[in-house]
């Protein structure tokens, strides 16, 4: 379960930002998850709640959004959206795809007091 290490890194980042701006508490966090990130939502939520105890982010709201992955098809020269690593090109069916994005977890926004 890599979600706990992702949450610990994320919490370190958002706490640094909150402290840099003199915040006393983090009330909400918005995370963006790529379709190919292999992150399970329930595990992420559980891990975030556990990891944020006794931090500035304790009891904050966690908002998650998902983005499809983008890949380049070497057969038809199209930039395409994919949802899985084993997906084929939706235009030509080729599996000669080069993944360009979609395996990330990114902090989009934090709300502080």
């Amino acid at each position: 379960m890599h979600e706990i290490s992702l949450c610990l890194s994320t919490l370190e980042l958002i706490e640094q930002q909150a402290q840099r701006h003199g915040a006393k508490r983090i009330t909400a966090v918005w995370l963006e998850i790529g379709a190919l990130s292999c992150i399970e939502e329930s595990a992420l939520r559980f891990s975030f709640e556990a990891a944020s105890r006794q931090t500035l982010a304790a009891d904050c709201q966690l908002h998650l959004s998902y983005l499809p992955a983008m890949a380049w098809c070497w057969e038809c020269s199209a930039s395409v959206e994919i949802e899985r690593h084993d997906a084929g090109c939706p235009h030509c069916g080729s599996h000669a795809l080069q993944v360009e994005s979609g395996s990330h977890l990114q902090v989009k926004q934090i709300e502080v007091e």
Side-chain angles (χ1 to χ4, degrees):
M1 183 164 94
H2 68 284
E3 286 83 358
I4 191 70
S5 62
L6 290 171
C7 288
L8 291 170
S9 297
T10 300
L11 281 163
E12 183 179 339
L13 176 71
I14 63 176
E15 281 196 303
Q16 286 173 357
Q17 289 300 311
Q19 289 170 350
R20 180 180 293 164
H21 295 285
K24 297 188 187 311
R25 188 167 97 84
I26 299 167
T27 57
V29 176
W30 284 261
L31 301 179
E32 184 176 86
I33 302 171
L36 303 180
S37 64
C38 299
I39 296 173
E40 185 181 318
E41 181 178 345
S42 61
L44 182 69
R45 288 187 181 280
F46 176 82
S47 297
F48 189 86
E49 183 182 333
S52 65
R53 290 183 188 135
Q54 299 179 357
T55 71
L56 294 178
D59 298 320
C60 78
Q61 293 181 344
L62 180 61
H63 303 276
L64 304 176
S65 62
Y66 295 88
L67 285 183
M70 297 301 294
W72 176 258
C73 179
W74 288 100
E75 292 296 321
C76 69
S77 298
S79 183
V80 297
E81 286 186 7
I82 58 173
E83 295 292 326
R84 301 179 328 272
H85 284 285
D86 63 347
C89 175
H91 300 293
C92 71
S94 171
H95 284 272
L97 300 176
Q98 178 177 328
V99 176
E100 297 175 330
S101 68
S103 59
H104 67 282
L105 172 67
Q106 183 175 11
V107 177
K108 294 305 284 184
Q109 183 177 343
I110 63 173
E111 181 180 87
V112 298
E113 291 181 340

